[in-house]
């Protein structure tokens, strides 16, 4: 059985969380959860540590340099003989710096800063994010 580690970062800035909307296709393939709201993240490369991946993915996906805090969520599932394990880190940005979100258009179409799930009422949200923000 193959194991695949995925990491994400829940970025908080001035009491709001950054969410990003996934594209329908990425790198020529249908995307998982197209047009759903998500948070920055991706697969851990070989020879890479999970925290380093979370930092790299934020820089690649939204153009932000983050500070990583604790793991706030873990889940795993089995799909076609692959065990996918997701870690979600609490992350923050410096409060005294201008924040400019720069999306990678090949991965995301939009972003929002939200206070809670009510700010996305009626929108599609990846399941693990509903669980995380529902408990905050």
């Amino acid at each position: 059985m193959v194991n695949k580690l995925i990491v994400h970062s829940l970025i908080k800035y001035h009491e709001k969380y950054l969410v990003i909307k996934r594209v329908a296709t990425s790198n020529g393939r249908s995307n998982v959860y197209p047009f759903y709201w998500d948070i920055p993240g991706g697969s851990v490369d070989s020879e890479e540590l999970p925290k380093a991946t979370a930092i790299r993915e934020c820089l690649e996906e939204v153009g932000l340099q983050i500070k990583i805090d604790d793991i706030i969520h873990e889940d795993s599932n089995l799909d076609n003989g692959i065990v996918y394990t997701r870690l979600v880190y609490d992350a923050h940005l410096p409060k005294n710096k201008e924040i400019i979100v720069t999306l990678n258009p090949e991965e995301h179409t939009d972003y929002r800063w939200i206070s809670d799930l009510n700010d996305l009422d009626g929108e599609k949200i990846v399941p693990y994010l509903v669980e995380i923000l529902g408990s905050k």
Side-chain angles (χ1 to χ4, degrees), residues 22-96:
R22 299 170 65 88
V23 295
T25 58
S26 183
N27 299 321
R29 294 177 291 180
S30 293
N31 211 350
V32 177
Y33 296 115
F35 304 118
Y36 278 62
W37 289 98
D38 199 355
I39 54 178
S43 297
V44 177
D45 292 337
S46 64
E47 308 295 322
E48 188 176 40
L49 297 173
K51 282 186 177 185
T53 300
I55 292 167
R56 175 181 56 78
E57 287 288 344
C58 280
L59 199 54
E60 289 175 2
E61 293 184 0
V62 295
L64 296 174
Q65 185 69 45
I66 60 171
K67 301 289 183 188
I68 296 291
D69 296 319
D70 297 326
I71 293 172
I72 57 170
H73 176 83
E74 180 274 328
D75 67 72
S76 297
N77 64 23
L78 179 62
D79 187 15
N80 293 324
I82 301 173
V83 175
Y84 291 92
T85 299
R86 176 188 336 275
L87 301 177
V88 180
Y89 291 98
D90 230 347
H92 66 275
L93 299 164
K95 289 196 178 192
N96 58 351

Side-chain angles (χ1 to χ4, degrees), residues 63-134:
L64 296 174
Q65 185 69 45
I66 60 171
K67 301 289 183 188
I68 296 291
D69 296 319
D70 297 326
I71 293 172
I72 57 170
H73 176 83
E74 180 274 328
D75 67 72
S76 297
N77 64 23
L78 179 62
D79 187 15
N80 293 324
I82 301 173
V83 175
Y84 291 92
T85 299
R86 176 188 336 275
L87 301 177
V88 180
Y89 291 98
D90 230 347
H92 66 275
L93 299 164
K95 289 196 178 192
N96 58 351
K97 186 177 172 189
E98 182 181 10
I99 303 302
I100 300 171
V101 175
T102 307
L103 293 177
N104 177 342
E106 293 183 18
E107 296 190 47
H108 301 95
T109 61
D110 198 5
Y111 76 93
R112 291 184 192 167
W113 289 98
I114 64 168
S115 298
D116 56 38
L117 289 174
N118 293 324
D119 292 342
L120 295 174
D121 193 35
E123 302 272 356
K124 297 178 192 174
I125 307 165
V126 294
Y128 75 92
L129 187 57
V130 171
E131 185 178 328
I132 293 168
L133 289 178

Side-chain angles (χ1 to χ4, degrees), residues 10-26:
L10 182 64
I11 302 169
K12 190 173 187 178
Y13 183 71
H14 291 298
E15 304 307 312
K16 293 197 175 217
Y17 301 101
L18 178 64
V19 294
I20 50 183
K21 191 176 241 185
R22 299 170 65 88
V23 295
T25 58
S26 183

